[in-house]
Amino acid sequence: MLECGMLERDSRALRRHSATLCKQLVVDALLIQSLQAEDILTESMAESIMAEQTSHKRSWRLLLLLPKRGPRAFSSFCSALRETEQKHLCDLLTQTAEKDGKETYVETSLGDREEKSEVSSTSSCPSVQASDNCLRSESSVGWLVPVREEDRKTERQRTKKRGRDKQTDRFVDSLPLPTQEGIAAKRARTHESMEFSLDADSPINTPVLPCTPDFYLSHCQQSYRMNSSPRGFALVISNVTFDPCAAPDLDPRKGGEVDDEVLRKVFTELDYLVTVHRDLTAQGMRTCIETFCRRADHRTVDSCVVCLLSHGVEGAIYGTDGQLLQLDWVFEAFDNAHCPLLQNKPKMFFIQACRGDEMDCGVEQIDGPARTCSPSCEQRDAGREGQGDADSRQRGDMGRPRIKLPQRSDMICGFASLKGQRICTAAMRNTKRGSWFIQELNTSLRLNARDTHLADIMVQVNGRIKEREGYAPGTAHHRCKEMSEFTSSLCKDLYLFPKYQPQY
């Protein structure tokens, strides 16, 4: 077991950047395994860290342990950061440690033992790096105290409370409490996922702003009916972990669990009954969707929401088994023929998935006159006025022909990434904050649903996505772009009228 403390300058570097580390550090299995391989963490320590529910708390617990794990802990931690593509954090720590000057050992002295050897302020202390048989002195000068194995056993109990715990308490006091995270991890995704993890703001938790009675009364006539309580049912399918045998190229969608929780909260506040399913195979998704669209209680509500979050390609998303679910089948399941209880009611779809394997690197904007839009050209179908069918004439219904609906209508679908004639782009996702698209959708719904119809909200989402850039210095994803889009067959304005109930 390691008994050495950490160099003063290394411990100081960790303390100084503890807030940044707690926010940006990605503590995953690879990083923990690297520290275990160097004997910095025991198996029980690794398990206690990974048992924490959030990445922020895992980072916090790791930072509590590191100062107690010997003089090699700092260099091993930096090596683990490099191995897990978090070199920016490694550079932050090592540069700070190098600037600190003297290396001061903090922990405990050996009482009457006076045998000391001075350590140079610029020394890398190879003897310390190579051996764990040392203790730290709280002397303000840089002293290294060699300790024999028997001395170490004798001093173990005496120093446990007095020295190491005292130093740990000071370190703990400097750490931020495990509150909501504020800065995203800057760690590039692997090539296979094509859904990249880059910097982003944390999801906002501002309560959904309520619609006013005056706004409802002035807009309800020209918009879809939206006053049932609940407004409707919402289905969220979120695939985060994929079968490594059936789908070896689909790596985990870290941060996907953030997205489905964000969607659950915002649509619950918008008065939807939300059901979340995670990690379904392609057939599992089909079964889930079929069950949902056949719900008899769609009859009593005014709308529905379907959110699908997974890896994807153009026109389809992946189940956890690596099989594809075609999006056209999803839309067909909710069309006027297959889901009659939702006829003439708005059906909202939000698809967080890649639509191709190309990353949008963006182009430089050139100053100049504003680009003019090409004139629109609206073509109206003549609409053949045919004769009524013979059956209706025989029934005497000639004056009241039954209204027919198109096969598919009253739908709006937001896509996280763009489909083009030559390119289908990848979506961006942050391992701690969730995806760009879901973040912006959440923000716009919370702040603007009270007085903005959904099509305009999706335009706002597009505008905010357009302004975002990836932050991943030193990788191909730095300053990368994303562009969302939406399609609509809505026939009226779609206002959600949040938190308003008409008085009858």
Side-chain angles (χ1 to χ4, degrees):
M1 179 180 292
L2 295 176
E3 289 294 328
C4 289
M6 186 178 284
L7 288 175
E8 168 66 15
R9 67 171 192 177
D10 296 341
S11 180
R12 188 184 303 122
L14 286 176
R15 291 197 303 271
R16 183 174 299 174
H17 298 294
S18 59
T20 300
L21 288 169
C22 277
K23 293 172 182 176
Q24 298 189 24
L25 178 61
V26 178
V27 179
D28 57 10
L30 184 59
L31 184 136
I32 295 299
Q33 288 170 6
S34 177
L35 293 174
Q36 282 186 273
E38 295 292 323
D39 293 326
I40 303 302
L41 296 179
T42 66
E43 185 174 353
S44 63
M45 290 175 180
E47 290 176 354
S48 68
I49 292 171
M50 298 307 292
E52 296 290 352
Q53 294 301 307
T54 67
S55 181
H56 186 267
K57 291 182 180 179
R58 288 194 291 270
S59 301
W60 184 74
R61 182 172 288 274
L62 175 60
L63 292 176
L64 293 181
L65 289 170
L66 282 176
K68 301 184 287 184
R69 302 307 297 161
R72 293 189 300 108
F74 184 81
S75 60
S76 296
F77 179 53
C78 290
S79 297
L81 291 175
R82 288 191 294 269
E83 291 174 6
T84 56
E85 301 179 37
Q86 301 182 80
K87 186 176 181 294
H88 65 291
L89 294 178
C90 173
D91 294 341
L92 180 69
L93 292 173
T94 55
Q95 289 170 8
T96 300
E98 289 172 359
K99 291 177 182 178
D100 277 348
K102 286 188 177 182
E103 298 176 350
T104 304
Y105 282 84
V106 290
E107 172 107 14
T108 176
S109 67
L110 291 180
D112 296 333
R113 181 178 295 275
E114 296 295 337
E115 180 181 349
K116 300 178 182 178
S117 59
E118 187 172 0
V119 179
S120 167
S121 62
T122 59
S123 169
S124 61
C125 191
S127 61
V128 176
Q129 299 294 333
S131 172
D132 294 331
N133 295 329
C134 66
L135 290 174
R136 294 177 294 174
S137 168
E138 290 190 335
S139 168
S140 60
V141 295
W143 300 108
L144 172 64
V145 184
V147 183
R148 297 180 310 224
E149 180 65 25
E150 56 267 32
D151 293 329
R152 191 172 68 158
K153 293 178 181 178
T154 302
E155 292 293 325
R156 182 175 302 167
Q157 295 301 323
R158 193 192 326 170
T159 63
K160 192 169 187 179
K161 296 295 182 184
R162 186 182 63 211
R164 189 172 64 247
D165 286 19
K166 182 178 178 181
Q167 172 64 16
T168 302
D169 289 341
R170 288 199 296 269
F171 184 76
V172 172
D173 291 340
S174 70
L175 288 176
L177 293 176
T179 55
Q180 184 176 1
E181 304 144 345
I183 303 176
K186 302 172 182 65
R187 180 177 174 187
R189 297 289 291 159
T190 59
H191 174 74
E192 288 81 8
S193 101
M194 299 316 301
E195 195 184 16
F196 300 102
S197 161
L198 300 165
D199 90 316
D201 299 328
S202 64
I204 69 165
N205 289 315
T206 303
V208 171
L209 299 179
C211 166
T212 64
D214 287 345
F215 184 84
Y216 174 82
L217 293 174
S218 62
H219 289 79
C220 63
Q221 295 299 319
Q222 71 267 28
S223 62
Y224 284 100
R225 172 187 170 92
M226 192 67 69
N227 56 27
S228 65
S229 184
R231 293 288 192 260
F233 303 102
L235 173 66
V236 179
I237 297 177
S238 176
N239 288 340
V240 176
T241 304
F242 295 79
D243 187 335
C245 297
D249 293 334
L250 300 178
D251 50 351
R253 297 180 61 254
K254 296 179 182 179
E257 67 281 359
V258 178
D259 282 345
D260 59 55
E261 180 63 10
V262 164
L263 291 170
R264 184 191 66 79
K265 289 180 178 179
V266 70
F267 281 110
T268 297
E269 287 192 56
L270 289 167
D271 199 16
Y272 284 83
L273 293 181
V274 184
T275 304
V276 178
H277 295 272
R278 188 177 290 177
D279 294 344
L280 299 181
T281 64
Q283 183 56 48
M285 290 192 290
R286 290 188 191 92
T287 301
C288 184
I289 290 170
E290 286 175 342
T291 301
F292 179 80
C293 68
R294 292 174 182 170
R295 291 185 63 155
D297 38 6
H298 282 308
R299 184 188 304 275
T300 63
V301 297
D302 291 336
S303 63
C304 85
V305 176
V306 177
C307 305
L308 304 177
L309 303 86
S310 187
H311 290 304
V313 296
E314 169 51 26
I317 61 172
Y318 283 101
T320 56
D321 56 352
Q323 300 300 307
L324 287 169
L325 174 69
Q326 297 297 322
L327 292 178
D328 197 59
W329 176 90
V330 177
F331 301 139
E332 182 180 351
F334 290 89
D335 68 19
N336 293 319
H338 294 86
C339 192
L341 296 181
L342 287 173
Q343 286 181 0
N344 298 313
K345 300 177 182 180
K347 295 162 279 285
M348 294 162 267
F349 300 86
F350 302 100
I351 313 297
Q352 171 58 45
C354 293
R355 303 174 76 183
D357 57 3
E358 295 292 336
M359 183 174 61
D360 187 345
C361 296
V363 297
E364 296 296 329
Q365 178 173 302
I366 300 176
D367 292 335
R371 183 176 58 184
T372 58
C373 297
S374 58
S376 60
C377 180
E378 183 178 16
Q379 296 180 343
R380 295 182 179 272
D381 289 332
R384 293 187 300 173
E385 297 179 4
Q387 298 178 352
D389 61 75
D391 291 340
S392 64
R393 283 198 298 268
Q394 291 175 3
R395 292 194 303 266
D397 294 341
M398 289 184 63
R400 298 175 58 190
R402 177 169 295 177
I403 295 175
K404 296 185 70 174
L405 295 172
Q407 183 79 16
R408 190 178 300 176
S409 65
D410 306 292
M411 294 183 177
I412 184 169
C413 183
F415 294 92
S417 54
L418 194 67
K419 176 190 176 183
Q421 293 180 344
R422 299 175 58 188
I423 183 173
C424 297
T425 57
M428 303 299 167
R429 173 174 38 81
N430 179 267
T431 58
K432 291 187 176 182
R433 311 291 180 251
S435 65
W436 290 7
F437 177 66
I438 300 301
Q439 286 180 53
E440 300 300 352
L441 177 65
N442 172 62
T443 300
S444 292
L445 286 173
R446 289 182 175 278
L447 299 180
N448 303 314
R450 63 174 177 171
D451 58 6
T452 308
H453 62 77
L454 189 61
D456 277 355
I457 286 176
M458 299 312 298
V459 171
Q460 293 173 0
V461 171
N462 286 352
R464 291 173 66 92
I465 293 288
K466 177 184 175 183
E467 294 174 355
R468 298 185 73 147
E469 287 188 358
Y471 184 84
T475 75
H477 311 138
H478 188 49
R479 297 200 66 192
C480 66
K481 304 292 290 184
E482 176 182 330
M483 192 63 233
S484 56
E485 68 173 352
F486 70 97
T487 62
S488 174
S489 59
L490 295 179
C491 304
K492 298 180 182 180
D493 290 340
L494 174 51
Y495 291 98
L496 299 177
F497 299 128
K499 302 182 180 180
Y500 178 77
Q501 292 298 329
Q503 302 298 319
Y504 296 106

